[in-house]
Amino acid sequence: MPDHRPRYVPVSTYRLQLHHEFPFAAAERIVAYLARLGAGACYTSPYFTATPGSTHGYDVVNHNEINPELGGEDGHRAFTACLTAHGLGHVVDFVPNHMGIDTGRNAWWRDVLENGPSSPASRFFDVDWDPIKPELHAKLMLPILGDQYGSALERGELQLAFRDGSLLLTYFDYELPVNPRQAPRVYRRAVEPLAAALGRDNSRLLEFQSILASLQNLPPYTEQAAERVAERQREKEVARARLAKLVAECPTVREHIEQAVREVNGEPGRSGSFDAMHELLEAQAYRVSYWRAASHEINYRRFFDINTLAGLRVEDPAVFEATHQLLARLLRDGAVSAVRIDHPDGLFDPARYFEMLQDLACRAWDVERETPRPLWVAAEKILSAGEQLPPRWAVHGTTGYNYLNDLNGLFVDAKQVKRVRRAYAKLTGSIEPFEEVLYASKRLIMETAMASELTVLAHRLDRIAESNRRSRDFTLESLRNVITEVVACFPVYRTYVDERGWTAEDRAVVVRAVARARRRNPAMEASLFDFLLEVVLPRGDESGTAHAPDRRGGYPAQDAAESAARRRFAMKLQQYTGPLQAKGLEDTAFYRYNLLLSLNEVGGDPERFGRSPAEFHAANEHRLRHWPFEMLATSTHDTKLGEDVRARVNTLSEIPEDWAREVSRWMRINRTHRTVVDGDPAPDRNDEYRFYQALVGAWPLEAGDSSVDDVDRGKGDRERAAGLEFVARIQAYMIKAVKEAKRHTSWLTPNAPYENAVLRFVERVLTGPGQGRFLPAFLPFQQRVAQIGLVNSLAQLTLKLGSPGIPDFYQGTELWDLSLVDPDNRRPVDFAHRAALLDEIESVLAEPLGQRRSAVVALQQRWRDGRIKLLLTVAGLRLRRDWPEGFLQGAYLPLETEVSVPADLVAFARVFEDRAAVFVVPRLAARLVAQAGLPLGGDAWKTSRVLLPPELSNRTFRHVVTGAEIRPTSTNSRSWIFAGEIFQVVPFGILVA
């Protein structure tokens, strides 16, 4: 195990989503519950001041203030003190990559809008002040308008206001500062009327004119010299204070300024009345524009394609220090124990950032940095198939999506892949391989939502090409095309070249992407690929020493400046491939390719159908060797499906013929509920196929065998609300899915007829006369899936509790998690209900070992209420809490199994010193459940067994949930435990030696 143990490492984490409706006070009230649950640390969403009303905290506007909406400093202090009192650590989510640009709260962004490149804060944001479009030189494109600029202007939607001694530009809820040097354009209109009202020698008028002169003499916003920047910053504030004082003392001056403002604001219906406003806006450090223009011309880096989140240049030491002041104090004071870092792929140099973060922690603690990773850091890094976390990152692992997919794959039957694909193709007509779907999806994003970033990269590459006589004949369009093709074929989110150069792994990724692009484009000029490869992967040393051409064509760097330009291009390119992969894969292709929704998970690969136990064990052993403190996730605020929805959907891989037969029947029953839109039925068959998977996975347990409309036959108000709420949830999910798929509608270009057809389809199928035919056909199959899914759910939870790493529990998932993608998975959690159930669970665990069985049997029989999952969660978390060394340092031993029933087993042991724990679960048990039914007890397993290594052969084991004592059976050569003994009461086993 590497020497990466931090000063503090949680043995488990419990994630809470903080927002104005669930602030620190609400979180504080459940701390005692989390401690009773057995959680090691409370892990929260970001709580630094965000855009007002934010429900997630990722649109932070001030990194150095605790969000007042959550309770501010006092609320935070009380919350963290409560955590400490109950023995819980605290992990906070931190956002270094971007900021929300609410101008009323983000002082840095506001200063940039007012002062452009002259703003001291201009270094904070990743802005291209010299973009391709000359009209945007030294200007920030601000795509906030709901219509074309001219139309919005002449409707009078852009309005000036005078407040606190300065001018503001308002556009509905937006308030933008006005360049103070240009404010006299408006104020001058008040001079003559004021002279007539006050007299030309009036001291108030003279003061007003003096203020105007000082504003006109400010250095322009393009000024970069430090002394001139300081002068502008100083003098504009002096002038603002003088004017505020003047209008307070002389209402006449205010009246005439406000009249001038009204004149400049123009009059709808009189086009010429807006000329002055237009001229004023053209003189600002920003250019307000139609929001759709952002896709092609925006000149600041965004978080993905979200215009309201601007990228930070946190690699700049000054920016890093300015954005991490409060975090440093929280670490110093012990209020924060560890950190989760959001979206490091967006950073220019992630490795450098993590080094800076570790140094910051050591400074906060006032200690020397003696180990590589003293602060426990989890990085939200999405790993693609076969990809490894960069070893030079000073972190302790990812946030656990790689584990999620390894674990999830265990419950997908790889042997049935051909049958599943055949059913999908037959029922939907979709025969396109996922690789083609992904390629087309990434191309679509590059042509639409993220075209502007592609244009910037193409121009950067064009400048490099022009600087060398051997590449100057490449056209801008051809260079744009080659970037497009290579990025569309990129197999991972991004590479990580930095000033230290390339790793062998990253080089292999680039070569692979270029090779893929070549194969796809045999008619494209081959030397374009050679040139791009040479720019991104230069040969020789970093000083730019020329080399003779090789078989790739050879485009040697001519000098150090060109070498630096090439390296910077490579670093900017990888900042593009990450968000492009996220938007193309997660937010497009995953909604187009509906083979098996449980595979379409963050970090997942729908082409990788299932995992074997050997693959799962190998991944766990690798984690223990290299990232022993990595987070393990099964549900997060970003997962596409709740963990128990995935567990249900996975069962479809085991029964593909039954599934295909049922879906075919449901499609026939529901065909009259489709609507013809543009000549085709809506929803289309692919979207309808997704709908049935979502319905099977998310159907509420409390509904049992009832239909949504049973409530109209006397079920009561509570049931009626639940039923209607579920219909609304499915409708919202389907609308998000079809918008993300971008085939019939999208967020950018909504198609209301198609969306309305989808909404009507869901409503007609689940309510009214339609449900009378569909639900009787649907519910028997759904109940069968729910029972198999129960076994999968408890199995994946058991494995997560024992695997190497830090298991994370997303809020509320200690009971069944039948949520869909956000915002569905961010609904309020009923913690009072969970605390009441925990009281019952504690009474069960308090039973004498010999008497606990009957209580557990009762919980198992009433599995729908989720208490059986809560029981397993509590038992596992408390075991981890009481034996942290075993799970943080203990060995991992895969155990052999022998199975004599139509199912499989997965088993492993954790061993540390003289203690051990064995984890055993069934997998692919659909046929066994069909034969034996639930609870899938001991009689179902016959002679199936778990073989023990010699060091565990003479031990007596206790089942931590049932309390049963289990002794191994031994021969001269081997020892084993019968699966029937382990699963006597519940279909999972955690055995303590």
Side-chain angles (χ1 to χ4, degrees), residues 218-239:
L218 288 174
Y221 73 74
T222 54
E223 187 62 70
Q224 298 286 293
E227 64 278 5
R228 295 283 282 166
V229 168
E231 178 187 347
R232 179 182 170 94
Q233 289 288 319
R234 179 183 67 247
E235 296 302 322
K236 71 181 178 65
E237 293 304 320
V238 171

Side-chain angles (χ1 to χ4, degrees), residues 22-313:
F22 190 83
F24 291 125
E28 183 183 348
R29 286 193 290 271
I30 68 164
V31 168
Y33 165 75
L34 298 183
R36 290 169 59 207
L37 201 62
C42 181
Y43 155 44
T44 67
S45 59
Y47 47 59
F48 307 93
T49 298
T51 300
S54 174
T55 59
H56 46 74
Y58 290 104
D59 46 357
V60 58
V61 295
N62 186 346
H63 287 86
N64 295 313
E65 179 184 57
I66 301 293
N67 196 337
E69 290 188 349
L70 305 181
E73 286 276 358
D74 291 342
H76 180 265
R77 190 178 302 110
F79 168 61
T80 54
C82 187
L83 290 174
T84 301
H86 284 82
L88 271 68
H90 177 37
V91 182
V92 69
D93 200 340
F94 191 79
V95 188
N97 173 66
H98 56 267
M99 292 186 77
I101 52 178
D102 179 276
T103 54
R105 296 294 185 94
N106 191 330
W108 293 336
W109 185 255
R110 187 179 183 87
D111 197 67
V112 171
L113 294 182
E114 184 178 73
N115 302 294
S118 184
S119 167
S122 65
R123 70 188 297 178
F124 283 62
F125 299 99
D126 203 349
V127 179
D128 181 5
W129 294 107
D130 188 22
I132 299 103
K133 189 169 183 173
E135 292 82 1
L136 284 173
H137 176 73
K139 287 182 181 290
L140 187 67
M141 183 182 181
L142 213 56
I144 63 173
L145 304 181
D147 198 353
Q148 297 288 340
Y149 164 73
S151 299
L153 176 68
E154 295 184 12
R155 281 198 298 267
E157 294 173 356
L158 292 158
Q159 294 280 290
L160 290 177
F162 178 70
R163 189 187 306 159
D164 299 328
S166 61
L167 291 177
L168 297 173
L169 177 67
T170 66
Y171 177 72
F172 296 103
D173 293 336
Y174 288 94
E175 289 188 352
L176 310 177
V178 170
N179 179 0
R181 193 171 188 260
Q182 300 301 325
R185 290 173 180 264
V186 178
Y187 297 150
R188 278 196 298 269
R189 292 170 175 262
V191 172
E192 288 303 319
L194 273 173
L198 300 176
R200 292 195 178 278
D201 295 331
N202 184 276
S203 61
R204 302 291 172 76
L205 175 61
L206 295 176
E207 169 67 359
F208 183 57
Q209 291 176 307
S210 173
I211 293 169
L212 264 61
S214 69
L215 289 172
Q216 289 173 248
N217 290 324
L218 288 174
Y221 73 74
T222 54
E223 187 62 70
Q224 298 286 293
E227 64 278 5
R228 295 283 282 166
V229 168
E231 178 187 347
R232 179 182 170 94
Q233 289 288 319
R234 179 183 67 247
E235 296 302 322
K236 71 181 178 65
E237 293 304 320
V238 171
R240 179 177 295 161
R242 288 171 63 192
L243 186 54
K245 182 174 183 292
L246 176 61
V247 299
E249 294 172 348
C250 184
T252 303
V253 175
R254 175 184 289 277
E255 291 170 8
H256 284 82
I257 289 176
E258 290 176 344
Q259 176 57 36
V261 166
R262 285 192 288 272
E263 293 174 8
V264 174
N265 278 339
E267 182 182 338
R270 294 180 55 236
S271 178
S273 67
F274 293 97
D275 291 349
M277 173 70 90
H278 172 66
E279 292 170 3
L280 177 66
L281 295 182
E282 290 292 282
Q284 300 308 305
Y286 52 84
R287 180 184 173 111
V288 291
S289 62
Y290 186 28
W291 67 271
R292 289 182 180 273
S295 297
H296 295 276
E297 292 186 346
I298 200 164
N299 63 331
Y300 62 87
R301 181 172 62 86
R302 302 166 291 174
F303 173 69
F304 295 165
D305 59 347
I306 303 174
N307 296 340
T308 55
L309 297 178
L312 285 169
R313 297 183 60 248

Side-chain angles (χ1 to χ4, degrees), residues 501-580:
W502 289 88
T503 64
E505 293 78 11
D506 281 344
R507 282 182 170 271
V509 165
V510 175
V511 170
R512 181 180 170 193
V514 171
R516 281 183 174 183
R518 282 183 194 270
R519 287 196 300 270
R520 280 189 172 276
N521 298 274
M524 185 177 286
E525 174 64 44
S527 59
L528 281 165
F529 294 106
D530 296 333
F531 173 63
L532 180 63
L533 199 59
E534 188 66 44
V535 169
V536 176
L537 298 177
R539 293 161 294 149
D541 60 33
E542 291 297 317
S543 65
T545 303
H547 296 263
D550 64 4
R551 62 184 180 84
R552 296 191 311 192
Y555 294 91
Q558 298 301 300
D559 52 36
E562 185 178 343
S563 178
R566 292 180 176 206
R567 183 170 56 247
R568 184 164 183 83
F569 170 81
M571 294 178 76
K572 295 302 289 184
L573 175 66
Q574 63 194 12
Q575 266 186 306
Y576 182 63
T577 61
L580 193 281

Side-chain angles (χ1 to χ4, degrees), residues 417 421-422 424-425 428-442 488 516 520 584-585 588-596 600 605-608 686 743:
V417 60
R421 287 176 176 161
R422 188 182 308 127
Y424 180 52
T428 69
S430 300
I431 59 174
E432 199 174 17
F434 181 72
E435 182 181 3
E436 297 301 318
V437 175
L438 177 57
Y439 172 79
S441 298
K442 293 173 74 171
R516 281 183 174 183
R520 280 189 172 276
L585 175 66
T588 307
F590 277 178
Y591 290 94
R592 292 183 167 194
Y593 189 77
N594 298 327
L595 178 73
L596 194 69
N600 296 9
D605 179 4
E607 289 190 308
R608 188 176 182 186
N686 195 36
R743 289 196 186 275

